[in-house]
Amino acid sequence: MSSKTILNVDPYYLFVMSYYLSKIVKNVRSPKKWLISIIMYFYRWFTGYLTDRLFGFVNVFGRKSSALPPVQNPLLLDSALSLAAKIRKKQVSSTSVVKAYLHRIEQVNPLINAVVDQRGAEALEEASSIDELISSGEKSEKELEREMPLLGVPFTVKEAISVTGLLFTTGVVSRRGIRATEDADVIRLLKKAGAIPIAVTNTSEQCFWMETFNNLYGRTNNPYDLRRTAGGSSGGEGAILASAGSVIGVGNDIGGSIRMPSFFNGVFGHKPSRGIVPNRGHFPPTEHVLQQYIGTGPMCRYATDLKTMLRIMAGPNVNLLQLDKKVSLKNLKVFYMECDGDGNFTLPAASGVKNGVKKVISHFRKICDVPPQRVQIRGLKHGFKVWAHAVSAKVANVATVESRVFGDEANISVWKEFLFSLFGWSDFSFPVVATVLVEKYLAPKDKSVAEPFIRIQRQLEKDFQNLLQDDCVFIMPTMPEPAAFHYANILRAQNCGYVAVFNVLGLPATSCPVGLDDNGLPVGVQVIAGLRNDHLNMVVAREIEREFGGWICPGPIVG
């Protein structure tokens, strides 16, 4: 909540509630509309203000970010590209960089619980070999830069993506101890570019939830306030990056799983255009029809690293992009919305979030020849339902959540596991079991129920195709509110419609930090470009970082 409160209530929240009260009064003569207005008022009151108070009290004894140790090694404050250049020039050794990050992980991980496995000895051996290669003079500095642009730079990986020899469980109790026997395609490509994987990070169970928690490794905490969520499902990756325990990382995103944790942790995260980055080597495996919605992509502390990472991770598909195309910010056309269009079930955009959008738009108003234009894309307020129907078992003709979670164990009682999960007695986390129940009893039983939302999806595709021509971007909040207290998102699943809808549309989407709100929590914006126009996302992200500072360290910096 804002520090400027009346009776300890955010003034913007009072405005929103008064707006809904006015709708109730206006609709008093229409019983159906009146009832809907009443339900929406109390839904938002309960999931917003009351839930914040309830889970704020539950987490009252937790520690804030002041618990994080200070950043003392200046190597932890360089971008990946800067580190790679220094390593090539022999200004620093890869060994010293890897040691610095391994030490930082040791410092912060007991507090944030982000890293679940690491390869310290192997990473140091690889770093030593790289230092020997550079010292040998076998290749010139230019050759090294061209062939291995991230030579000697350490990186971390979401544990749902396989790294040879490291744990590969995705938080599933029945997979305890399983290790990857090969590298995922993106890991192989990054290794070829000279980068060194040092650790894998926590994820929600089977990547099914917007908070990173599972019964194998526990809950990941937000480094800006340990009582709050790091987001999901790439929450461990977002938290370790924000804590300066990593400089670049790899996540994947089928419903916002890169962008949500990037937003909550104040780092950059990019979901590439559909079909660009290979997804082989992930768990859980995904049917071909859903592959079009998954985006494996980079998560970084510095926007300057996004383009290089994407270029590497795209492999041969990089030729489908225009990453080297010159972009004139002056000629850029910017469209924006300050929320999702006031969806009935999503929470209203918090004042800090809306202010973040306003600051970005104000900046582009100064530098663009054509002033940014506010638009109203009506279908966005149905974003969650559009996504949920698109990926549902009945519509997409894919495996049910129940079969994915419980596998072939036919003797499992969903209701028993639901009850046990409430008390932590189940092998399955509560959000996962709750998702099974929702799909089992509330999901559409046939495709006809989804058809209105399929039509909305088609209209959204047309709207954005018409809107996002060359040199055009669309800006809106990544999420309607900053990181919530632990557990609170159980009642706010539909908020992920802000990000998930762009998985269905296949458009490139980048979450960019734009400072902190009054509570010291990161806020930011989501930048959307036309299909395969990822180069625009990169340019706009760098400009936002240049103007607003990008990542802000959640703890002190010494020296």
Side-chain angles (χ1 to χ4, degrees):
M1 294 290 171
S2 168
S3 58
K4 300 176 182 178
T5 57
I6 301 171
L7 297 177
N8 206 29
V9 179
D10 189 332
Y12 179 71
Y13 182 84
L14 289 174
F15 164 75
V16 171
M17 291 301 101
S18 64
Y19 167 73
Y20 271 88
L21 282 172
S22 70
K23 288 183 75 172
I24 292 172
V25 173
K26 287 180 182 178
N27 293 329
V28 70
R29 293 185 180 178
S30 171
K32 183 177 179 180
K33 289 184 178 180
W34 182 81
L35 181 59
I36 291 173
S37 298
I38 287 281
I39 292 171
M40 289 302 99
Y41 175 85
F42 282 103
Y43 176 83
R44 285 194 168 189
W45 176 80
F46 178 73
T47 59
Y49 174 74
L50 186 62
T51 300
D52 277 340
R53 287 295 180 266
L54 172 63
F55 290 109
F57 176 76
V58 169
N59 290 279
V60 71
F61 298 111
R63 288 180 292 180
K64 283 193 171 183
S65 61
S66 57
L68 284 187
V71 174
Q72 296 176 306
N73 192 326
L75 290 176
L76 301 176
L77 301 176
D78 276 331
S79 70
L81 288 183
S82 175
L83 287 171
K86 289 180 178 181
I87 291 168
R88 287 193 303 271
K89 295 175 187 295
K90 305 178 191 176
Q91 295 172 352
V92 299
S93 68
S94 175
T95 301
S96 62
V97 174
V98 170
K99 281 182 177 178
Y101 275 102
L102 290 173
H103 178 63
R104 182 63 179 173
I105 288 172
E106 288 179 6
Q107 287 184 312
V108 301
N109 206 51
L111 297 167
I112 61 173
N113 189 37
V115 168
V116 298
D117 197 14
Q118 53 186 303
R119 54 191 301 275
E122 297 93 332
L124 287 170
E125 284 181 15
E126 290 166 15
S128 178
S129 297
I130 287 169
D131 292 332
E132 290 176 8
L133 170 66
I134 293 170
S135 296
S136 72
E138 181 182 326
K139 291 181 181 288
S140 69
E141 186 182 325
K142 286 187 177 180
E143 285 178 315
L144 291 173
E145 182 178 11
R146 183 178 67 252
E147 296 174 13
M148 294 174 281
L150 292 178
L151 185 62
V153 177
F155 70 100
T156 47
V157 184
K158 180 180 184 177
E159 200 242 13
I161 300 169
S162 62
V163 179
T164 302
L166 294 187
L167 290 171
F168 186 40
T169 68
T170 320
V172 178
V173 170
S174 62
R175 289 177 60 84
R176 187 190 304 273
I178 288 180
R179 295 182 177 274
T181 57
E182 63 177 355
D183 290 325
D185 286 351
V186 289
I187 306 306
R188 178 178 52 79
L189 290 166
L190 285 164
K191 281 183 173 181
K192 186 178 179 182
I196 303 173
I198 58 171
V200 288
T201 52
N202 204 16
T203 176
S204 52
E205 184 182 348
Q206 292 208 33
C207 300
F208 271 148
W209 188 237
M210 59 192 290
E211 176 155 14
T212 294
F213 170 79
N214 59 68
N215 288 327
L216 268 185
Y217 311 121
R219 188 180 309 281
T220 296
N221 300 317
N222 190 300
Y224 293 86
D225 185 339
L226 302 178
R227 303 168 303 173
R228 295 178 183 265
T229 182
S233 59
S234 310
E237 201 57 40
I240 199 64
L241 285 163
S243 302
S246 180
V247 62
I248 53 175
V250 180
N252 58 6
D253 184 323
I254 195 172
S257 291
I258 284 175
R259 288 158 291 152
M260 275 189 284
S262 294
F263 171 76
F264 291 146
N265 293 281
V267 298
F268 292 87
H270 179 68
K271 181 198 78 67
S273 286
R274 172 186 294 147
I276 295 297
V277 176
N279 295 315
R280 194 187 68 84
H282 297 188
F283 184 87
T286 306
E287 294 94 334
H288 176 73
V289 68
L290 294 181
Q291 284 289 322
Q292 62 184 315
Y293 303 138
I294 295 180
T296 302
M299 298 174 68
C300 314
R301 253 188 295 143
Y302 302 102
T304 187
D305 295 327
L306 284 172
K307 184 167 79 170
T308 297
M309 281 198 76
L310 180 58
R311 186 193 304 278
I312 294 165
M313 294 168 70
N317 287 338
V318 72
N319 295 324
L320 300 175
L321 301 177
Q322 308 172 74
L323 293 181
D324 292 323
K325 184 178 179 180
K326 297 287 185 183
V327 177
S328 168
L329 289 172
K330 184 179 178 183
N331 296 330
L332 196 70
K333 295 182 180 65
V334 178
F335 303 95
Y336 72 97
M337 289 173 62
E338 293 177 355
C339 63
D340 67 346
D342 195 26
N344 281 336
F345 289 98
T346 53
L347 287 180
S351 54
V353 171
K354 294 189 82 170
N355 286 339
V357 175
K358 289 176 180 177
K359 286 196 297 185
V360 170
I361 295 306
S362 177
H363 172 66
F364 282 102
R365 186 168 283 117
K366 296 174 186 174
I367 65 174
C368 296
D369 282 347
V370 178
Q373 180 182 342
R374 186 200 299 265
V375 294
Q376 188 67 23
I377 301 174
R378 296 177 61 187
L380 284 180
K381 66 181 180 181
H382 302 293
F384 178 79
K385 290 182 179 178
V386 168
W387 173 82
H389 285 87
V391 302
S392 70
K394 290 293 183 183
V395 174
N397 194 28
V398 296
T400 63
V401 175
E402 183 176 15
S403 65
R404 292 172 187 273
V405 172
F406 299 143
D408 298 327
E409 300 183 51
N411 60 336
I412 290 181
S413 166
V414 179
W415 286 107
K416 177 184 174 182
E417 296 300 331
F418 178 77
L419 180 62
F420 279 20
S421 69
L422 288 171
F423 300 96
W425 301 338
S426 173
D427 283 348
F428 307 99
S429 60
F430 173 78
V432 166
V433 183
T435 303
V436 171
L437 285 174
V438 168
E439 183 192 61
K440 195 176 180 74
Y441 296 104
L442 298 180
K445 301 304 179 185
D446 58 73
K447 195 170 181 177
S448 64
V449 179
E451 291 201 357
F453 299 101
I454 294 173
R455 288 197 296 271
I456 293 172
Q457 176 187 336
R458 299 289 177 256
Q459 185 60 50
L460 281 169
E461 290 169 353
K462 291 177 183 177
D463 289 342
F464 278 104
Q465 187 174 8
N466 293 333
L467 188 72
L468 297 178
Q469 305 298 320
D470 288 345
D471 295 331
C472 296
V473 295
F474 173 69
I475 292 175
M476 68 177 288
T478 307
M479 291 289 281
E481 59 173 6
F485 288 110
H486 291 308
Y487 314 109
N489 279 333
I490 289 290
L491 302 171
R492 300 173 178 178
Q494 297 210 52
N495 282 350
C496 75
Y498 271 66
V499 283
V501 67
F502 295 107
N503 291 81
V504 174
L505 300 178
L507 301 176
T510 311
S511 183
C512 307
V514 189
L516 307 178
D517 71 358
D518 290 342
N519 289 320
L521 299 172
V523 294
V525 299
Q526 184 176 196
V527 179
I528 315 298
L531 190 65
R532 297 183 179 176
N533 277 348
D534 300 55
H535 63 287
L536 295 177
N537 299 66
M538 310 288 105
V539 170
V540 172
R542 288 196 65 174
E543 178 62 18
I544 289 173
E545 179 181 52
R546 187 198 65 76
E547 179 65 19
F548 300 104
W551 169 74
I552 298 172
C553 188
I557 297 175
V558 177

